[in-house]
Amino acid sequence: MSRENLMLQIHQIQDEMLVMGSLVEQATMKSIESLKKRDKKMAVEVYNADRKINEKRYAIENSVLILIATQQPLAHDLRLLAALLEVSAEIERMGDYAKGIAKVVVNLGDFDIPVPIKEIDQMATLALSMLHRALGAFIIEDGETAKSIPAEDDKVDEMYNKVQRLLVNLMIEKPQNIDHANLLMWVAHNLERMGDRVSNICERTIFVTTGELVEIESKKKEIKL
Amino acid sequence: MTNQTDKQWAIETQDLDIYYSDFRAVKNVSLKIEPKKITSIIGPSGCGKSTVLRSFNRMNDFIPGSRVTGGIFFQGQNIYDPRIDPVQVRQRIGMVFQKPNPFPKSIYENVAWGARINNYKENLNDLVEECLVKSALWGEVKDLLQRPALSLSGGQQQRLCIARALAVKPEIILMDEPCSALDPIATLKIEDLMRELSAQYTIIIVTHNMQQAGRASDFTAYFTMDTDRAGSMIEYGVTSQVFTNPTHKSTEDYISGRFG
Amino acid sequence: MKNPLNLVSTTTYGRDLNLEQRQKKATIWKALFRLSTLVGVVALAILIISIVNQAFGLVAIEDTNDRNDFISTSIKEVTKTELIQLIETNLSTNRVRTLDREEPLVERSRHDLMALVETEVFKQRIVDSYSLFGSIFTPNTFRDQVAKKHPEAIVEFKSWFTPQFLQESMSKTPELAGIRTALFGSLFLILITISVAFPLGVSAAIYLEEYARQNTWLSRVIQTNIDNLAGVPSIIYGILGLTIFVRAFEPITSGRLFGYEGANGRTILAAGLTMALLILPILITNAQEAIRAVPNSLRQASYGLGATQWQTIWYHVLPYALPGILTGTILAISRALGETAPLIIVGAATYITKDPSGLFSNFTAIPIQIYNWTTRPQQEFRNIAAVAILVLMFMLLSMNAVAILWRNKIQNKR
Ligand SMILES: Nc1ncnc2c1ncn2[C@@H]1O[C@H](COP(=O)(O)OP(=O)(O)O)[C@@H](O)[C@H]1O
Ligand SMILES: [Mg+2]
């Protein structure tokens, strides 16, 4: 029996964070779905639902601050609460990316353009799977899993390059596609950024378990002149 | 129950002033204590926290020259009404003190005594066990009930004092800096215990340790002194609110350690 | 210097440490304190030695009447009936009757009768005595002196402390005198004193500490008076006792009011009451001190549980203060046991052979006997006075020991 009250409240915040994560997953999936179906109404729904995610983030932030103010968490508890602030911010940003994708769907309108939906779908599936596992690792504080996930980001990057090439070819083939292909470029870009955010979440997990702030770099990210 | 307010508060004070002879130690306190919750009273030293707390079960009566004006209502009755016997008030509103002060008797006797003098008719052994279980001490002392209470550690002694207070079956438990003589671990144990007890009892705790107020209480009242050295209540609200976003500058300065 | 390492640094930071001088001062003070203790211990030792010195030693014994006039053989061979005969024929009829009343002669043991014959018929007397140290180191001086003055006397070693000394009552002859009457007198007196003073003193202390309003002028006057009364000379109490208990309350203290044939108020009851008066201030102040030492937190704990003031005092304050009160009582008893002056004034008898039998008896007490004996010219009385002092000290010590054991038992239970 020790600090039951604090532990109880931390668990509640963690639950809220998981709910937020699944909201983001749903939003992303739905935005890709609306792109696939070119369903503007659905896209608008996704766009507006982001408000809910933002509110969740503020609620989590508030709870964390109250706990810090009233409970004097230290050591592991303090790292966990600090990480919760960071992770909720990352998830919220990912929600914004889903919102961005939905906005692209609206802006595309009914313009006829061959969307590389298969590749985009794959990117989204991979990024969301990473997010899902990263949050799971965060909750159970599984540092090993957290360390292994960022490597998968390279795959997302790879597919991002592929989609980019496809879209550039599209522009070259048909210059009147340029505006809309550019919009689609943002969709791919957003999905690629999601992978990076997941890496950040994994870094926080490692911070909680070991207390070390390390950047998990994949080999390909190094830039050489 | 006849009461002028719409809600049944555990304790309600109205324009409470407390004097020591001519010195007004506390002025103008109007406070409503939520039942079955933990309310903490914080504030700088000498602002009258203990004075207010003691007035809730008329322990101030023992200080020569102390005087109360205004009302303190418990179950709709002013406990300072001349027709009310303070002994009865103290039996309904128990108290735990700053320094653990078990009687120099056995552990068993410490818990049983209060019940016995209040004409408890049922099985004392059961009562002692029940109270020690509630105060999270039973496991540690169940085989040592006849040992002197003073052989326990400070933290255990304080939990024994809580068990002793519970044995009288009070509705409210007042605690005046119950952890200030204890080490941090024992302190956290008492706080956990308070949390558990708050399901059944109203707890009012005075503490000079604002972190403790933050950790352990649902409501916080902040007291400070005026230029005439009279203490008064500056802020009262939900603890999380008071600790993250106090309404008054003075509260903020106090809880962030800039004053007091 | 004590310091093998030179810890005194060369830099003195502008201060003169002056360590050597300070140490020297400390040494001097320590020596002074030690000396004071030593003086006390030596004084005590001298006191005890001088008492013991008187209580044992060589004596010269001589028959006043030549025993060959009465018996032809050694007394050890005389039969019991002959012994009784010796007594009955050689003592006055009055004396025989007195002896017979004390215990019929025929029922007495042979040993008893032998002693009786030696003392009463042969009138065997101690004619000279010598101190313990003299007896050990220069016994021949004494022997020569005795041989010169009492050629008939035999010299033998005698312990003045004998079972008879405890069993016998007063006598004009030192070697026959005992302390029994005084011992009972003292014990009875203390019993009366304590059973009156203890409840009164403790009650008064409780009232003053727990009930009376503190810091009013009245309570301050009372307090000051009690404190001062503890220092009033005991003879004043004697005069007070004489006026109040012996004279004013004579019907009560003499027992006449209760149908007792008392002659006057000079009874053990009057003396016990006087003594109670004497130790009351000591008892009260000590009990007050003990009650004041009860931590307030204990009272608060009790009140906090809904206890009344009486429950708080009875269950917590008094038990906690009891060891302190007992200490005060020990002091008071010691004082009362050794007091002489008030008893003399109240009218303790100096010569009495009857043990106190009730509240209205005449009585004597050990200190009175000691005082009485030391004023006698014969050396032998001084010897038995020394033994009486030993008895008194033993009584004090054993009473205190009982009280201390009791107190420790209470304290250990905490
Ligand atoms: N028994 C007393 N007699 C007189 N003044 C007192 C007494 N107890 C407290 N006070 C005064 O009342 C004020 C409030 O004291 P207290 O309630 O003990 O403060 P706190 O518990 O907040 O430190 C202080 O100024 C203090 O000096
Ligand atoms: Mg206080």
Side-chain angles (χ1 to χ4, degrees), chain B residues 11-255:
Chain B
I11 283 185
E12 179 176 356
T13 73
Q14 288 171 359
D15 302 322
L16 178 66
D17 283 11
I18 306 176
Y19 296 82
Y20 291 114
S21 303
D22 297 331
F23 168 57
R24 181 158 69 162
V26 170
K27 68 175 176 193
N28 249 338
V29 174
S30 295
L31 179 66
K32 290 171 175 158
I33 304 282
E34 193 89 21
K36 308 242 161 101
K37 292 276 184 227
I38 305 175
T39 303
S40 63
I41 301 178
I42 60 171
S45 200
C47 69
K49 307 181 293 292
S50 301
T51 302
V52 167
L53 195 76
R54 281 198 302 263
S55 73
F56 288 168
N57 70 343
R58 297 197 54 171
M59 288 296 278
N60 272 347
D61 292 15
F62 299 109
I63 300 172
S66 77
R67 195 154 52 80
V68 164
T69 66
I72 300 178
F73 294 90
F74 170 65
Q75 303 200 334
Q77 273 178 310
N78 189 343
I79 60 170
Y80 278 87
D81 188 315
R83 284 167 303 174
I84 285 193
D85 184 355
V87 168
Q88 203 191 357
V89 173
R90 289 182 210 117
Q91 190 246 306
R92 308 281 295 275
I93 306 179
M95 193 156 197
V96 175
F97 300 86
Q98 177 166 0
K99 236 182 83 203
N101 57 351
F103 299 129
K105 299 180 189 294
S106 71
I107 293 172
Y108 180 93
E109 200 51 30
N110 261 277
V111 183
W113 189 77
R116 197 177 291 139
I117 57 152
N118 283 303
N119 279 331
Y120 187 73
K121 290 281 188 289
E122 283 149 57
N123 189 332
L124 268 180
N125 294 350
D126 293 348
L127 178 76
V128 169
E129 177 171 350
E130 177 195 328
C131 295
L132 286 172
V133 166
K134 272 192 197 168
S135 64
L137 197 58
W138 179 247
E140 288 155 72
V141 304
K142 64 171 181 286
D143 299 323
L144 322 167
L145 290 178
Q146 294 310 324
R147 283 265 200 94
L150 292 174
S151 65
L152 297 174
S153 75
Q156 288 174 324
Q157 287 187 13
Q158 195 62 301
R159 276 179 285 149
L160 180 65
C161 290
I162 293 174
R164 180 176 71 182
L166 296 181
V168 188
K169 309 231 173 250
E171 281 128 83
I172 300 176
I173 302 173
L174 309 175
M175 301 187 176
D176 192 350
E177 302 190 7
C179 302
S180 62
L182 304 184
D183 64 80
I185 300 295
T187 299
L188 291 176
K189 268 195 182 157
I190 302 268
E191 287 173 10
D192 278 342
L193 172 60
M194 280 162 47
R195 177 59 58 198
E196 254 158 52
L197 291 176
S198 70
Q200 287 181 56
Y201 303 91
T202 305
I203 296 177
I204 308 175
I205 171 178
V206 160
T207 172
H208 59 197
N209 173 339
M210 53 214 160
Q211 287 85 0
Q212 177 168 57
R215 283 194 302 263
S217 70
D218 302 305
F219 295 88
T220 298
Y222 170 67
F223 279 61
T224 193
M225 280 170 288
D226 249 352
T227 40
D228 59 353
R229 285 179 54 231
S232 60
M233 189 169 75
I234 301 294
E235 182 151 355
Y236 178 45
V238 178
T239 298
S240 55
Q241 174 73 27
V242 174
F243 272 76
T244 52
N245 190 16
T247 337
H248 292 267
K249 178 83 171 59
S250 145
T251 316
E252 170 136 18
D253 287 348
Y254 181 70
I255 60 173

Side-chain angles (χ1 to χ4, degrees), chain A residues 39-52:
Chain A
D39 183 343
K40 275 183 286 180
K41 217 175 118 222
M42 199 180 197
V44 170
E45 269 172 35
V46 171
Y47 190 92
N48 291 335
D50 186 55
R51 221 189 50 236
K52 243 166 82 188

Side-chain angles (χ1 to χ4, degrees), chain C residues 122-185:
Chain C
F122 305 158
K123 293 223 168 11
Q124 195 182 56
R125 289 288 175 268
I126 292 176
V127 286
D128 207 351
S129 67
Y130 204 41
S131 72
L132 179 60
F133 293 115
S135 309
I136 293 170
F137 299 114
T138 55
N140 289 333
T141 326
F142 182 64
R143 280 180 209 283
D144 294 348
Q145 181 188 323
V146 170
K148 229 178 276 160
K149 276 203 262 173
H150 314 277
E152 301 276 294
I154 35 170
V155 172
E156 61 181 43
F157 189 84
K158 179 176 169 64
S159 157
W160 291 91
F161 183 81
T162 55
Q164 280 106 294
F165 184 72
L166 290 178
Q167 288 161 9
E168 291 298 323
S169 64
M170 279 298 281
S171 167
K172 294 236 154 56
T173 338
E175 59 268 40
L176 297 181
I179 200 154
R180 191 191 69 222
T181 316
L183 189 67
F184 282 133

Side-chain angles (χ1 to χ4, degrees), chain C residues 60-223:
Chain C
I61 304 170
E62 195 181 55
D63 291 352
T64 322
N65 303 333
D66 191 348
R67 66 173 68 193
N68 294 331
D69 295 347
F70 301 94
I71 47 172
S72 45
T73 55
S74 158
I75 187 157
K76 293 203 177 92
E77 283 154 30
V78 180
T79 60
K80 192 170 164 184
T81 30
E82 281 173 318
L83 284 172
I84 296 178
Q85 222 170 358
L86 271 174
I87 293 167
E88 282 175 344
T89 47
N90 292 298
L91 297 185
S92 69
T93 38
N94 249 348
R95 182 68 189 138
V96 173
R97 210 178 305 141
T98 322
L99 286 171
D100 221 30
R101 217 175 23 238
E102 279 175 13
E103 198 186 342
L105 289 176
V106 281
E107 285 172 24
R108 296 190 184 210
S109 72
R110 187 161 174 276
H111 186 263
D112 228 20
L113 291 168
M114 239 155 66
L116 210 59
V117 169
E118 291 213 306
T119 50
E120 304 249 343
V121 181
F122 305 158
K123 293 223 168 11
Q124 195 182 56
R125 289 288 175 268
I126 292 176
V127 286
D128 207 351
S129 67
Y130 204 41
S131 72
L132 179 60
F133 293 115
S135 309
I136 293 170
F137 299 114
T138 55
N140 289 333
T141 326
F142 182 64
R143 280 180 209 283
D144 294 348
Q145 181 188 323
V146 170
K148 229 178 276 160
K149 276 203 262 173
H150 314 277
E152 301 276 294
I154 35 170
V155 172
E156 61 181 43
F157 189 84
K158 179 176 169 64
S159 157
W160 291 91
F161 183 81
T162 55
Q164 280 106 294
F165 184 72
L166 290 178
Q167 288 161 9
E168 291 298 323
S169 64
M170 279 298 281
S171 167
K172 294 236 154 56
T173 338
E175 59 268 40
L176 297 181
I179 200 154
R180 191 191 69 222
T181 316
L183 189 67
F184 282 133
S186 272
L187 284 174
F188 204 3
L189 185 71
I190 288 299
L191 204 69
I192 296 172
T193 305
I194 285 305
S195 43
V196 172
F198 186 81
L200 271 182
V202 175
S203 310
I206 290 174
Y207 181 79
L208 289 172
E209 284 304 311
E210 299 284 326
Y211 290 98
R213 280 223 252 133
Q214 309 285 310
N215 291 327
T216 59
W217 70 265
L218 185 65
S219 72
R220 245 173 306 183
V221 166
I222 292 174
Q223 190 66 57

Side-chain angles (χ1 to χ4, degrees), chain C residues 28-59:
Chain C
I28 292 172
W29 276 111
K30 188 174 157 192
L32 266 176
F33 296 148
R34 192 175 279 172
L35 192 69
S36 313
T37 315
L38 202 68
V39 168
V41 170
V42 167
L44 198 66
I46 290 175
L47 175 79
I48 290 172
I49 288 170
S50 72
I51 293 170
V52 171
N53 196 22
Q54 300 273 320
F56 309 92
L58 290 174
V59 289

Side-chain angles (χ1 to χ4, degrees), chain B residues 101-104, chain C residues 294-303 312 316-317 320:
Chain B
N101 57 351
F103 299 129
Chain C
V294 175
N296 231 339
S297 63
L298 205 62
R299 293 187 185 87
Q300 288 183 338
S302 172
Y303 287 130
T312 303
H316 299 297
V317 175
Y320 194 97

